[in-house]
Amino acid sequence: FIQFYVETIEVEGIRKGTMLVLRDVTKETEMDRLKSELVSTVSHELRTPLSSIYGFTELMLNRKMDLSKQDKYLKTIHSETERLSNLVNDFLDVQRMEARIQSYQKGLLNLQPLLEETTQFYAASTTNHTITFRSLTDACPLIEADEEKMKQLMNNLLNNAVKYSPFGGNIEVVLEADHHHVQFAVRDEGIGIPKSALAKLFDKFYRVDNSDSRKIGGTGLGLAICKEIVEGHDGEITVESVEKQGSTFTVKLPQSVQEYMVVPDGLDVS
Ligand code: ADP
């Protein structure tokens, strides 16, 4: 985007000429777009949990409720508060991404137990889906990674797999490794993604514009955060999908150099 305007050149109050100024405002235009997306997403996504928390607390305070329902109301208030807190964290992550101040606390990490744990957690929290973990490697090579960010990445992908499979079905997490990489895939049998949307899927605030996605709700930030995390670990995230059949998100990360720098016997590297 180029903005242009005319400026008068004056020396001691005397007009000496005019100048045509061209300015590249692509960055500012993108920031404006993000800001207005943020305002509309915030107002839309915050309203639902807030009104539900407000409604349930009001009912409890007025003591007009059936006491046997107290636990149910508290559970709703708790889960809606969690949803709000996740939203705020996503917004903060995106702001850090914009300001390029995202930092990673990296250490040697085995992805296998993390993937197993996250899979088990999601398997226990749904009755509609069958969620399984499968490893195609005997011993998962280590990677250099930020454990919290890896958990956030897995959570975002598994959460989407469940969310976008509204009729249930199988969800499979598969771990594999080659000589230099560790790779995991999250495969679902959900609503799938139209071909035309695949290129924009990892953009901030992008959501597939169809009735299924609209009904399900979201901010369009989860996958942008996933991409940022994966690229912050020198990896790659890709997606394959067929509408009405399902999607597979694959994350490929480099092994820690220490993992494959094994010196063969007898080789002098000093
Ligand atoms: P959100 O789910 O909050 O909208 P995401 O960034 O996680 O945001 O995802 C962006 C969009 O990609 C979603 O709105 C949805 O349209 C699509 N999408 C993501 N994951 C899946 C999936 N597993 N199956 C089908 N569509 C998906």
Side-chain angles (χ1 to χ4, degrees), residues 15 62 76 100 116 125 140 142 163 182 198 263:
R15 188 170 157 171
N62 286 341
T76 309
R100 309 205 180 285
E116 273 175 346
S125 61
C140 179
L142 301 181
K163 199 163 97 169
V182 175
L198 290 175
V263 179

PDB file of all heavy atoms in Angstrom, residues 15 62 76 100 116 125 140 142 163 182 198 263:
ATOM      1  N   ARG A  15       8.036  30.337  -0.611  1.00  0.00           N
ATOM      2  CA  ARG A  15       7.778  29.046  -1.247  1.00  0.00           C
ATOM      3  C   ARG A  15       8.805  28.779  -2.355  1.00  0.00           C
ATOM      4  O   ARG A  15       8.970  29.573  -3.283  1.00  0.00           O
ATOM      5  CB  ARG A  15       6.372  29.104  -1.841  1.00  0.00           C
ATOM      6  CG  ARG A  15       5.902  27.797  -2.362  1.00  0.00           C
ATOM      7  CD  ARG A  15       4.449  27.898  -2.686  1.00  0.00           C
ATOM      8  NE  ARG A  15       4.130  26.885  -3.661  1.00  0.00           N
ATOM      9  CZ  ARG A  15       2.936  26.582  -4.029  1.00  0.00           C
ATOM     10  NH1 ARG A  15       1.924  27.249  -3.522  1.00  0.00           N
ATOM     11  NH2 ARG A  15       2.719  25.643  -4.906  1.00  0.00           N
ATOM     12  N   ASN A  62     -29.170 -14.519  43.931  1.00  0.00           N
ATOM     13  CA  ASN A  62     -30.579 -14.285  44.243  1.00  0.00           C
ATOM     14  C   ASN A  62     -31.213 -15.444  45.002  1.00  0.00           C
ATOM     15  O   ASN A  62     -32.349 -15.357  45.430  1.00  0.00           O
ATOM     16  CB  ASN A  62     -31.380 -14.065  42.947  1.00  0.00           C
ATOM     17  CG  ASN A  62     -31.093 -12.699  42.386  1.00  0.00           C
ATOM     18  OD1 ASN A  62     -30.614 -11.819  43.103  1.00  0.00           O
ATOM     19  ND2 ASN A  62     -31.358 -12.525  41.104  1.00  0.00           N
ATOM     20  N   THR A  76     -20.057 -24.628  35.141  1.00  0.00           N
ATOM     21  CA  THR A  76     -20.166 -23.767  33.952  1.00  0.00           C
ATOM     22  C   THR A  76     -19.374 -22.482  34.154  1.00  0.00           C
ATOM     23  O   THR A  76     -18.624 -22.064  33.273  1.00  0.00           O
ATOM     24  CB  THR A  76     -21.652 -23.424  33.661  1.00  0.00           C
ATOM     25  OG1 THR A  76     -22.378 -24.632  33.644  1.00  0.00           O
ATOM     26  CG2 THR A  76     -21.810 -22.687  32.356  1.00  0.00           C
ATOM     27  N   ARG A 100       7.309  -8.799  18.176  1.00  0.00           N
ATOM     28  CA  ARG A 100       8.479  -9.680  18.031  1.00  0.00           C
ATOM     29  C   ARG A 100       9.250  -9.830  19.345  1.00  0.00           C
ATOM     30  O   ARG A 100      10.466  -9.710  19.378  1.00  0.00           O
ATOM     31  CB  ARG A 100       9.426  -9.171  16.934  1.00  0.00           C
ATOM     32  CG  ARG A 100       8.718  -8.903  15.645  1.00  0.00           C
ATOM     33  CD  ARG A 100       9.620  -8.982  14.449  1.00  0.00           C
ATOM     34  NE  ARG A 100       8.869  -8.719  13.228  1.00  0.00           N
ATOM     35  CZ  ARG A 100       8.033  -9.566  12.646  1.00  0.00           C
ATOM     36  NH1 ARG A 100       7.857 -10.758  13.142  1.00  0.00           N
ATOM     37  NH2 ARG A 100       7.379  -9.234  11.556  1.00  0.00           N
ATOM     38  N   GLU A 116       1.603 -38.270  24.706  1.00  0.00           N
ATOM     39  CA  GLU A 116       0.756 -39.306  25.329  1.00  0.00           C
ATOM     40  C   GLU A 116      -0.166 -38.688  26.372  1.00  0.00           C
ATOM     41  O   GLU A 116      -1.365 -38.964  26.401  1.00  0.00           O
ATOM     42  CB  GLU A 116       1.637 -40.384  25.981  1.00  0.00           C
ATOM     43  CG  GLU A 116       2.011 -41.463  25.007  1.00  0.00           C
ATOM     44  CD  GLU A 116       2.979 -42.487  25.592  1.00  0.00           C
ATOM     45  OE1 GLU A 116       3.562 -42.212  26.668  1.00  0.00           O
ATOM     46  OE2 GLU A 116       3.155 -43.534  24.983  1.00  0.00           O
ATOM     47  N   SER A 125     -11.731 -36.336  28.286  1.00  0.00           N
ATOM     48  CA  SER A 125     -12.679 -35.224  28.404  1.00  0.00           C
ATOM     49  C   SER A 125     -13.782 -35.263  27.340  1.00  0.00           C
ATOM     50  O   SER A 125     -14.577 -34.342  27.238  1.00  0.00           O
ATOM     51  CB  SER A 125     -11.929 -33.884  28.355  1.00  0.00           C
ATOM     52  OG  SER A 125     -11.275 -33.789  27.119  1.00  0.00           O
ATOM     53  N   CYS A 140      11.958 -42.166  21.048  1.00  0.00           N
ATOM     54  CA  CYS A 140      11.790 -40.860  20.400  1.00  0.00           C
ATOM     55  C   CYS A 140      13.058 -40.012  20.604  1.00  0.00           C
ATOM     56  O   CYS A 140      13.456 -39.764  21.740  1.00  0.00           O
ATOM     57  CB  CYS A 140      10.570 -40.166  20.998  1.00  0.00           C
ATOM     58  SG  CYS A 140      10.283 -38.546  20.290  1.00  0.00           S
ATOM     59  N   LEU A 142      15.479 -36.801  21.045  1.00  0.00           N
ATOM     60  CA  LEU A 142      15.205 -35.556  21.762  1.00  0.00           C
ATOM     61  C   LEU A 142      15.216 -34.367  20.807  1.00  0.00           C
ATOM     62  O   LEU A 142      15.875 -34.400  19.761  1.00  0.00           O
ATOM     63  CB  LEU A 142      16.250 -35.337  22.863  1.00  0.00           C
ATOM     64  CG  LEU A 142      16.347 -36.442  23.910  1.00  0.00           C
ATOM     65  CD1 LEU A 142      17.409 -36.091  24.943  1.00  0.00           C
ATOM     66  CD2 LEU A 142      15.000 -36.655  24.597  1.00  0.00           C
ATOM     67  N   LYS A 163     -13.059 -29.940  18.365  1.00  0.00           N
ATOM     68  CA  LYS A 163     -14.040 -28.882  18.090  1.00  0.00           C
ATOM     69  C   LYS A 163     -14.618 -28.984  16.665  1.00  0.00           C
ATOM     70  O   LYS A 163     -15.808 -28.804  16.460  1.00  0.00           O
ATOM     71  CB  LYS A 163     -13.295 -27.551  18.248  1.00  0.00           C
ATOM     72  CG  LYS A 163     -14.134 -26.341  18.445  1.00  0.00           C
ATOM     73  CD  LYS A 163     -13.279 -25.197  18.989  1.00  0.00           C
ATOM     74  CE  LYS A 163     -12.829 -24.271  17.888  1.00  0.00           C
ATOM     75  NZ  LYS A 163     -12.226 -23.020  18.340  1.00  0.00           N
ATOM     76  N   VAL A 182      11.835 -35.064  14.234  1.00  0.00           N
ATOM     77  CA  VAL A 182      10.761 -35.745  14.952  1.00  0.00           C
ATOM     78  C   VAL A 182       9.486 -35.123  14.400  1.00  0.00           C
ATOM     79  O   VAL A 182       9.425 -33.900  14.204  1.00  0.00           O
ATOM     80  CB  VAL A 182      10.847 -35.487  16.473  1.00  0.00           C
ATOM     81  CG1 VAL A 182       9.660 -36.102  17.185  1.00  0.00           C
ATOM     82  CG2 VAL A 182      12.148 -36.030  17.035  1.00  0.00           C
ATOM     83  N   LEU A 198      -7.052 -23.245   2.480  1.00  0.00           N
ATOM     84  CA  LEU A 198      -5.822 -23.818   3.051  1.00  0.00           C
ATOM     85  C   LEU A 198      -4.668 -22.816   3.132  1.00  0.00           C
ATOM     86  O   LEU A 198      -3.934 -22.775   4.107  1.00  0.00           O
ATOM     87  CB  LEU A 198      -5.395 -25.059   2.259  1.00  0.00           C
ATOM     88  CG  LEU A 198      -6.324 -26.267   2.435  1.00  0.00           C
ATOM     89  CD1 LEU A 198      -5.919 -27.407   1.526  1.00  0.00           C
ATOM     90  CD2 LEU A 198      -6.346 -26.734   3.894  1.00  0.00           C
ATOM     91  N   VAL A 263      29.685 -39.843  17.263  1.00  0.00           N
ATOM     92  CA  VAL A 263      30.954 -40.042  16.563  1.00  0.00           C
ATOM     93  C   VAL A 263      31.225 -41.536  16.405  1.00  0.00           C
ATOM     94  O   VAL A 263      31.227 -42.273  17.392  1.00  0.00           O
ATOM     95  CB  VAL A 263      32.097 -39.377  17.361  1.00  0.00           C
ATOM     96  CG1 VAL A 263      33.424 -39.592  16.650  1.00  0.00           C
ATOM     97  CG2 VAL A 263      31.788 -37.901  17.560  1.00  0.00           C
TER      98      VAL A 263
END
